[in-house]
Amino acid sequence: MNLVGLNFSQIPRIDVPFRFYIMAALFAVFSGLYIAINAPQIWLSRWSPATLSITHSLALGVMAMVMFGSLFQLLPVLCGAPIALGCRGLVIFQSLFVAGICALLGSFNGMMSPLIALNLLGASLCLFIFILLKTLVFNAGGVQTKRPMMLAVICLVITIILGLVMLANFSWAFASLSKAWTNLHAAFGFYGWILLLVMTVSFQVIPMFHVTPEFSKPSRLIPWLVTLQLFALLFSVNEMAITRPLLAILNCIVIGYALVALKQLRQRKRKLPDNTIYFWQFALGSLILGCLLVLMLPWIPNTLVMIWPMLIGVVFGFGFVLSVIQGLLLKIIPFLITLHLQQHAMNHPMGMGLMPDHYSLIPRAFGTRLFKLHVVTVIFMVLGFWLVQFSQLAGALMASGWTYLLVHIVLASKKYRQIHQAIART
């Protein structure tokens, strides 16, 4: 089955991405509750245990979990190359990864040795990265998607190496690492791994799901420009006179991507209301705002130097990344269910009439409520910069919204199983 150059013949079982999506929703609920309880400590410093815990709970437990799950689905479709991890390998990887995240959060809060997290995260991520790189290098086609995805994975490798080195240093204190290395870890994690992967996916899913023109060839060079700037930052990490203009150029490039993507969405042929469009627009607007906040860094007063990066993190993390994730889940989950049911129905042609409508799996009204709840959550989280009680409320709203989404993912999975069995009976 091929559609617009996409290959659907080697897609994995539907439970493969869904197990990651459900685990990500559970970590998101935990993160919301953690914010609600520990909000006063989160705004103290970006290096406080509470801030480190919530940052890595979201970055690893939610964002990376969704991205890893999506890669199992996207690589076979976009590059014609399934990730050859196997059922047992998949269970081992996810179990080690989840245990590693929990151990990392425990180490930040003084509950266990960081060596446990170092071993668990090192083992799980090295396993996944090795298989992923092997798949991309030797099996993947689709050059337009393969190359920028390779850039994202390379940035992920650097992010992991920097993180593991700092975690090891946290245990043994073998070197004096400056704050610039923490900034570099965050830069490669966000601009490199997360943003490059979102860019690569958006080049495919925005035209496919929203019937827009294809992204232009110049715009597809943006991931390469972002990667070039990141490596320039890497080789000038302790030279503030150089890193500041490089960081400014990097954020201007990212703003350029956001404007191009917004233009694509405005040119969509299907003008019907779509909550995924609203999530994309809100996410891209937040991305522009976050970049502007970064550009303002040299001019902020000294009293805000410590907490300004946390405000940037909230805008980037909550406003951009979580918006993209929730919007894509609203679109991807029903798409995957109908895709797998269609393939199943090919062996049972009489069951084609049982195929569900996307909005019967995840209702449009739910998407509308989820979007409004998410926007209010982000606004309250930003207001927590001035009054911490808003952050507590934002945490409670976040936990509620993701619980709401988790219930609908489970219900959609249950409906998939029911229809799958009904098709088989025909």
Side-chain angles (χ1 to χ4, degrees):
M1 176 182 176
N2 289 286
L3 179 65
V4 198
L6 304 180
N7 179 13
F8 296 101
S9 62
Q10 302 186 70
I11 57 174
R13 300 187 321 274
I14 196 169
D15 67 287
V16 173
F18 269 57
R19 70 170 65 216
F20 286 90
Y21 298 158
I22 290 173
M23 187 58 66
L26 290 172
F27 268 106
V29 173
F30 164 78
S31 300
L33 294 175
Y34 189 91
I35 293 171
I37 296 170
N38 298 281
Q41 288 74 41
I42 289 172
W43 289 103
L44 289 178
S45 166
R46 58 185 291 200
W47 289 280
S48 71
T51 307
L52 290 172
S53 296
I54 193 60
T55 299
H56 289 84
S57 176
L58 290 172
L60 295 174
V62 183
M63 299 171 189
M65 195 71 69
V66 170
M67 291 176 175
F68 289 163
S70 298
L71 282 173
F72 280 96
Q73 186 69 42
L74 288 172
L75 278 181
V77 173
L78 301 181
C79 302
I83 300 176
L85 199 54
C87 183
R88 184 178 298 178
L90 179 65
V91 172
I92 292 172
F93 160 64
Q94 191 179 32
S95 300
L96 288 174
F97 187 49
V98 171
I101 297 171
C102 295
L104 182 64
L105 301 182
S107 68
F108 286 143
N109 291 276
M111 297 178 183
M112 61 182 67
S113 169
L115 291 178
I116 300 175
L118 181 66
N119 289 319
L120 290 170
L121 287 174
S124 59
L125 290 172
C126 286
L127 170 65
F128 181 74
I129 294 300
F130 174 76
I131 299 295
L132 181 58
L133 284 174
K134 181 181 176 182
T135 302
L136 283 169
V137 172
F138 295 107
N139 302 325
V143 173
Q144 285 189 339
T145 301
K146 173 182 175 177
R147 288 177 178 173
M149 197 169 285
M150 280 287 295
L151 297 179
V153 175
I154 290 170
C155 290
L156 173 62
V157 171
I158 295 174
T159 304
I160 292 170
I161 291 173
L162 291 170
L164 293 178
V165 168
M166 287 189 290
L167 191 57
N169 191 58
F170 184 55
S171 299
W172 294 307
F174 54 79
S176 178
L177 299 178
S178 67
K179 293 178 182 179
W181 288 95
T182 305
N183 295 336
L184 200 60
H185 172 65
F188 269 90
F190 175 72
Y191 294 102
W193 160 238
I194 295 176
L195 185 57
L196 287 183
L197 191 59
V198 170
M199 285 182 183
T200 304
V201 171
S202 70
F203 292 154
Q204 296 292 336
V205 302
I206 288 180
M208 180 175 70
F209 284 150
H210 305 298
V211 196
T212 72
E214 295 291 325
F215 280 79
S216 64
K217 289 184 178 180
S219 66
R220 290 179 179 271
L221 296 176
I222 294 177
W224 295 89
L225 297 176
V226 169
T227 306
L228 181 64
Q229 291 301 115
L230 284 172
F231 275 91
L233 285 170
L234 178 63
F235 292 114
S236 61
V237 61
N238 291 315
E239 301 293 334
M240 188 61 66
I242 300 175
T243 57
R244 280 185 174 175
L246 289 175
L247 192 61
I249 295 171
L250 172 62
N251 281 273
C252 289
I253 294 170
V254 174
I255 289 174
Y257 159 74
L259 293 175
V260 168
L262 286 170
K263 180 183 177 182
Q264 293 293 116
L265 291 170
R266 285 197 301 270
Q267 294 177 331
R268 67 188 186 278
K269 297 177 182 178
R270 186 182 298 162
K271 297 294 185 179
L272 296 174
D274 188 339
N275 293 299
T276 309
I277 292 287
Y278 304 148
F279 272 108
W280 269 113
Q281 291 171 334
F282 184 74
L284 294 167
S286 299
L287 182 61
I288 293 173
L289 175 60
C291 291
L292 293 176
L293 292 176
V294 175
L295 293 174
M296 291 169 59
L297 270 171
W299 297 283
I300 61 171
N302 291 333
T303 54
L304 299 178
V305 168
M306 288 295 293
I307 59 175
W308 194 263
M310 290 185 284
L311 178 62
I312 295 171
V314 167
V315 174
F316 277 150
F318 287 79
F320 174 64
V321 185
L322 292 183
S323 299
V324 170
I325 287 175
Q326 288 190 335
L328 285 178
L329 288 178
L330 286 179
K331 187 68 71 173
I332 287 176
I333 288 172
F335 174 77
L336 291 180
I337 288 176
T338 53
L339 176 63
H340 282 80
L341 288 176
Q342 283 175 352
Q343 294 205 328
H344 180 51
M346 288 180 182
N347 299 320
H348 307 274
M350 294 296 291
M352 279 292 184
L354 299 176
M355 294 297 301
D357 176 74
H358 280 200
Y359 291 113
S360 69
L361 296 168
I362 295 186
R364 183 183 278 111
F366 162 72
T368 301
R369 289 192 291 269
L370 184 67
F371 174 71
K372 292 178 179 178
L373 184 60
H374 176 67
V375 171
V376 174
T377 300
V378 175
I379 292 173
F380 280 1
M381 198 65 197
V382 171
L383 291 175
F385 180 72
W386 291 275
L387 188 62
V388 72
Q389 285 79 3
F390 280 111
S391 297
Q392 293 175 311
L393 183 55
L397 291 175
M398 178 181 174
S400 301
W402 279 93
T403 301
Y404 198 28
L405 179 57
L406 176 61
V407 168
H408 278 76
I409 294 175
V410 172
L411 290 176
S413 302
K414 181 180 178 181
K415 193 162 189 176
Y416 163 79
R417 290 193 299 269
Q418 292 173 341
I419 299 174
H420 190 278
Q421 293 169 0
I423 290 175
R425 286 195 296 268
T426 62

